[in-house]
Amino acid sequence: MSICNDGTLNIAEYRNAPVRIVWLLKEALYGGNLSDQLEHSIKETRYSPTWLTMAYPAYAVINGWKSGVFTKWEDVPSLDKGVLKILRQIAVVNVKKEVCVAKNGLSKDAEIRNAYKENRELVNRQIADLDADIIVFGYPNALYRIVNDVFKTQTGKDYRSDKEIGDFSMTTEKVNGKRRLFLWGYHPSYYRSEEQGKYSKYKYFTTFINAVKEFRKMQ
C-alpha cells in the first residue's frame, strides 16, 4: 500500500517563516513526498481543493504576521499567480500515513481513528518537532478523540474551546512556555466554492484571519 511522506513542505522556508502553521489532517490522496506533490501543483498550476483553501489564509497570515496588517481576500494572488508557493512555508501532518484508497477520495472515520492509534506516537512527535505557533485540526466531530488526545499530549490538559469564530473553535494554550493557537474546524476540502455558499473558501479565509487577529492580541 502506498505511503505519503508528510511534514514540512520545504524545510528551510518553514524554519524561516515569521509564523509557523501546521495543519493536522486525515490522509493523503497520493503517495510519495508531499513536498514533491506541492511542487508539481505549483509548476502545473493544478487545482487542489484542500491546498488552495489552505493557501489563502496562509498567504495572509504569513505575510501579515509581523505588521498585523493582513492581505484582504480580493488581494490574495490567484492560483495562476502562484498562491500555492506560500505552502512551502507551512507543514501538514496526516494521521493516516497510507494513501486513501476509496474511489470517491472520502475518508472513513473508523479508519482514521484506527490509524491514529497506530501512529499516535509518531504524529505527536511530528507536531512537537514542528514547534508551530498555529495548529489547525481539520476533523469532523466524530474524530473529537483525536483532537483531545493530541491537545492533551502537547499541552498536558484536556481539550476545551475558548471561543467559537465562524466554523472554527479557537483555543490558546502554552506549550514549552510559548502560547500557541489551536484551531479546530472542518477539513479544508469542504470549502469548494470561491465566495458563495456555506462552505466557501472566502468563509474559511475570513474566519481563520479573525481567529489569528484575536490570537495576536494575546501576544
Side-chain angles (χ1 to χ4, degrees), residues 37-47 79-80 84:
Q37 295 172 32
L38 173 63
E39 292 306 316
H40 181 71
S41 291
I42 292 172
K43 181 180 179 180
E44 302 295 330
T45 60
R46 294 188 61 177
Y47 180 84
L79 178 65
D80 61 345
L84 291 182

Side-chain angles (χ1 to χ4, degrees), residues 171-206:
T171 305
T172 64
E173 190 58 66
K174 284 189 176 181
V175 179
N176 297 326
K178 182 179 179 181
R179 187 166 292 280
R180 317 293 174 121
L181 171 62
F182 293 83
L183 293 177
W184 181 17
Y186 294 110
H187 192 283
S189 66
Y190 281 18
Y191 299 80
R192 295 302 183 103
S193 65
E194 290 295 322
E195 296 186 54
Q196 302 297 322
K198 185 176 181 180
Y199 300 117
S200 66
K201 293 181 180 64
Y202 172 77
K203 185 176 182 182
Y204 192 88
F205 173 89
T206 53

Side-chain angles (χ1 to χ4, degrees), residues 16-18 23 29 43 60 93-94 96 148 160 169 195 210 218:
N16 293 321
W23 266 267
L29 296 179
K43 181 180 179 180
V93 174
N94 289 302
K96 184 182 175 186
N148 184 64
R160 69 187 187 281
S169 291
E195 296 186 54
N210 288 337
M218 303 174 187

Side-chain angles (χ1 to χ4, degrees), residues 123-141:
V123 168
N124 281 285
R125 186 170 66 248
Q126 284 182 287
I127 296 170
D129 290 345
L130 286 166
D131 192 29
D133 303 282
I134 302 173
I135 299 93
V136 188
F137 297 103
Y139 295 145
N141 290 331

